[in-house]
Amino acid sequence: MNAPLYIGLMSGTSLDSIDAVAVRFEPAFELLACHSEPIPAAIHAATLALFDPGDNEIERLGRLDLELAELFATAVENLIRLNALDRQQIAAIGSHGQTIRHRPEAHFTLQIGDPNLIAERTGITTIGDFRRRDMAAGGQGAPLVPAFHSALFRHPDHNRVLVNIGGMANMTILEAAKDKPVLGYDTGPGNVLMDSWIMQHKSESYDRDGRWAATGKVLPALLEKLRALPYFSEAPPKSTGREQFNLHWLEQTVQTLTEKPSSEDVQATLLELTAVSIADAIKSHHLSDLQIFLCGGGSHNSLLKARLTQLLKPHYLSTTAELSLDPDWVEAAAFAWLAYRTLNRMSGNVPEVTGAAGYRPLGAIYWG
């Protein structure tokens, strides 16, 4: 086939790796290749340090902007090399960049990983900075994946919910009726608090299958305090990030308990917080005949998946693997799709999701 290919790059809140995919959209969606590029420890640490205000931020940001761009370019080159892709067929790269600050209440968001450098290193047209056009139009700038979810997963006979569980969790409501708009928003924390807590107490990057959480018990008092955060009761459109859900906030909340909890009990409570906040958001839409599909790293956490299944009975719950797209590659594919939309002068946002004044083409084009 001679239809153009698009590459999508995604580095999420969890900072576990850079996901790179090559996809084709014509005549139908096809995932052709995928690659996961590890993030070196030094870059991981430098990125984490920029999530919070600190000294010499502009200097550190400038250096990291270039280091991440070099890493994104390397991810593209490895994707091409390892899968013997024809470089001449690649129309564009869609690079989400690394979010280091997301402040929708202040009308700004910032992703770094200079697209100029990616285009220069690869020679391929690169599209980046997807979120700020939506924000300029009065939107939250996030989540952006619901438009892709709708294009790929909407079904004429079934109501569906797509739940992406990355560092944060977001969901997309896809009702079967054609006249119903696509809805979606960030439900709250996905893996971010669990990952931060296990890193601090066990020096492990994540809790595989929720095994550590399974050794603890949910603390109702702590869960109640965490759920009291106003974000959970705010009406959409809404989006969030590490600015709200972070280790400092968690530790402050834990310290308000009358008795010091065990670290494993806190972990169990954090898993419950993720599960309950997702389930509550889904239930609030009162949909019947509902199919729920998970994607993102959290979809592999068997304890979390089991808890969601229990909370959301009798609704059907699975992963996007059942819809022929591995849950690990959905977000990267979404940014390839957004690049495809932008390059073809089409909109990429959903105003009902982000709150923007209307449909807008997203991102800036850096020609290869």
Side-chain angles (χ1 to χ4, degrees), residues 65-84:
D65 185 38
L66 299 179
E67 290 173 352
L68 282 168
E70 295 282 8
L71 193 59
F72 291 146
T74 298
V76 170
E77 292 298 337
N78 285 337
L79 176 72
I80 293 171
R81 177 179 56 84
L82 294 171
N83 295 281

Side-chain angles (χ1 to χ4, degrees), residues 217-240:
K217 63 180 184 297
V218 173
L219 302 170
L222 177 58
L223 182 63
E224 183 180 356
K225 288 176 180 289
L226 295 172
R227 293 182 70 193
L229 189 74
Y231 181 83
F232 292 115
S233 57
E234 289 175 5
K238 61 180 182 177
S239 58
T240 190

Side-chain angles (χ1 to χ4, degrees), residues 7 76 80 87 90-93 118-119 122-126 366-368:
I7 289 177
V76 170
I80 293 171
R87 187 182 296 268
I90 302 170
I93 298 165
I118 300 172
T122 63
I124 300 170
T125 295
T126 300
Y366 304 80
W367 297 105

Side-chain angles (χ1 to χ4, degrees), residues 145-298:
V145 292
F148 174 67
H149 289 163
S150 177
L152 203 63
F153 300 127
R154 198 162 192 171
H155 194 283
D157 300 322
H158 300 287
N159 295 322
R160 286 179 169 177
V161 175
L162 273 291
V163 183
N164 176 66
I165 309 175
M168 301 301 152
N170 59 70
M171 72 172 188
T172 303
I173 305 291
L174 302 172
E175 294 191 59
K178 290 182 179 180
D179 61 338
K180 295 293 186 179
V182 177
L183 301 176
Y185 50 91
D186 290 348
T187 60
N191 305 314
V192 65
L193 296 175
M194 291 185 283
D195 290 353
S196 298
W197 190 253
I198 196 171
M199 174 57 73
Q200 183 179 72
H201 291 273
K202 296 177 74 69
S203 298
E204 296 176 13
S205 59
Y206 70 103
D207 187 8
R208 184 183 294 273
D209 288 324
R211 292 172 188 170
W212 189 40
T215 67
K217 63 180 184 297
V218 173
L219 302 170
L222 177 58
L223 182 63
E224 183 180 356
K225 288 176 180 289
L226 295 172
R227 293 182 70 193
L229 189 74
Y231 181 83
F232 292 115
S233 57
E234 289 175 5
K238 61 180 182 177
S239 58
T240 190
R242 285 180 182 264
E243 295 78 14
Q244 200 148 51
F245 296 102
N246 55 62
L247 191 58
H248 178 66
W249 169 72
L250 172 59
E251 289 175 331
Q252 282 188 320
T253 308
V254 168
Q255 287 170 6
T256 65
L257 298 175
T258 54
E259 295 183 12
K260 183 178 180 180
S262 70
S263 56
E264 59 268 25
D265 286 352
V266 173
Q267 186 74 354
T269 306
L270 294 177
L271 186 142
E272 183 73 0
L273 176 67
T274 294
V276 168
S277 57
I278 291 171
D280 283 352
I282 293 173
K283 290 176 184 177
S284 72
H285 292 270
H286 307 290
L287 296 173
S288 59
D289 184 29
L290 186 59
Q291 298 178 337
I292 302 160
F293 296 96
L294 309 181
C295 59

